[in-house]
Amino acid sequence: MLKRVIISFAAFGLSFLLGYMVSNNYLIGILCGFLFSLSIFLYVCPRFQARREKSERRGEAYRFVNSFVISLSVNGSLEESFQSASLFLSPSLKEVTAHLSNLDIIEKIRYLQRFFEESFYEMFCSMVEIWRQQGGDVLSLMQPLLREVSETEESERIADKSRARAFGQFLLLWVMSAFVLVAVRLGLSSFYASLSTSLAFQLVSVAYFVIASGSFALFSFLVGEKGKGGKNDKKKVQKGRKKEGSR
């Protein structure tokens, strides 16, 4: 939340300065700053934060599954494999798994499914149950799963890079447009005082920031992720701990 507030204040400051420089009006500058910072605070930061956390959790699930399967192929113990794979969990999930000692190993693995919402994790849970019932070569049984997990992780990494590149290009275009406004302001300084008093010019100045703030919000909807940052994950952790504590 603190980072989100800092980014929003920085956005307010920059848009206020640009709005005031363009319009030569403090009220318009404040309005522009408010519009832009509101867009950043309510839409851009939460959705980008949710996207980042989803990517991190996907990678966490990928490492957990791979470590579990490799460890199981070596030692043949579900408990030891779970402990080994748990080393790749985030601190919040390590805290959760520490309270699962009274659960069966399959229940422990299934329990993490509420955090690992990837489709391959459901397949992983089912295949672990099949192996425990039937035995056999772990790597042969899990080969289709490992292939799907690797392909999913690779495709998502490529998608993340594409989204980051698109955001960089999008941000660069708006930065360039801001430089154009500053250049026009400085280039027309001789009669800018009279121009800035025009109602039409002031409306156009405000319209620029309305479009800019709206475009940032729209971009966050296109490439971001619906969520509330880390709050959802914390609620799951707290709910899980309460549920296990009641057993």
Side-chain angles (χ1 to χ4, degrees), residues 61-241:
Y62 167 77
R63 292 188 295 273
F64 179 87
V65 169
N66 274 275
S67 175
F68 189 98
V69 173
I70 293 173
S71 179
L72 186 61
S73 67
V74 173
N75 55 50
S77 170
L78 290 174
E79 286 288 349
E80 291 183 16
S81 299
F82 184 85
Q83 294 298 325
S84 177
S86 296
L87 297 176
F88 294 93
L89 297 178
S90 63
S92 61
L93 285 189
K94 286 182 179 178
E95 184 179 358
V96 171
T97 57
H99 295 78
L100 304 180
S101 57
N102 59 325
L103 296 183
D104 176 74
I105 183 61
I106 298 299
E107 291 179 318
K108 290 180 181 179
I109 296 172
R110 287 284 185 186
Y111 188 90
L112 293 178
Q113 194 171 351
R114 70 184 65 189
F115 304 97
F116 297 148
E117 298 176 350
E118 302 298 324
S119 59
F120 63 77
Y121 193 80
E122 168 65 26
M123 184 188 299
F124 165 70
C125 295
S126 300
M127 297 184 78
V128 170
E129 291 187 69
I130 292 173
W131 180 86
R132 188 170 72 166
Q133 294 172 2
Q134 301 180 1
D137 187 352
V138 177
L139 292 180
S140 297
L141 177 65
M142 299 287 188
Q143 190 62 37
L145 170 66
L146 294 177
R147 183 164 52 249
E148 179 181 343
V149 171
S150 298
E151 291 175 354
T152 300
E153 176 66 8
E154 183 62 25
S155 63
E156 289 296 333
R157 284 181 180 177
I158 294 174
D160 286 342
K161 290 181 180 179
S162 297
R163 282 188 285 264
R165 183 166 56 250
F167 178 71
Q169 295 171 348
F170 174 81
L171 186 61
L172 180 61
L173 288 175
W174 279 107
V175 170
M176 291 175 63
S177 72
F179 275 118
V180 170
L181 286 180
V182 173
V184 170
R185 168 67 176 85
L186 297 177
L188 302 178
S189 57
S190 57
F191 61 95
Y192 203 85
S194 59
L195 180 64
S196 61
T197 59
S198 169
L199 178 61
F201 179 80
Q202 292 179 351
L203 290 176
V204 170
S205 300
V206 173
Y208 169 85
F209 285 93
V210 171
I211 294 173
S213 59
S215 67
F216 271 85
L218 178 60
F219 189 85
S220 70
F221 273 90
L222 294 175
V223 303
E225 184 72 21
K226 184 178 180 180
K228 298 181 180 179
K231 291 184 179 180
N232 286 339
D233 192 54
K234 290 180 180 179
K235 287 180 180 179
K236 289 179 181 179
V237 172
Q238 293 171 357
K239 184 178 179 180
R241 291 186 62 182

Side-chain angles (χ1 to χ4, degrees), residues 27-44:
L27 292 178
I28 291 180
I30 293 174
L31 177 61
C32 295
F34 177 76
L35 286 173
F36 203 73
S37 61
L38 196 64
S39 175
I40 297 295
F41 185 83
L42 294 180
Y43 299 106
V44 179

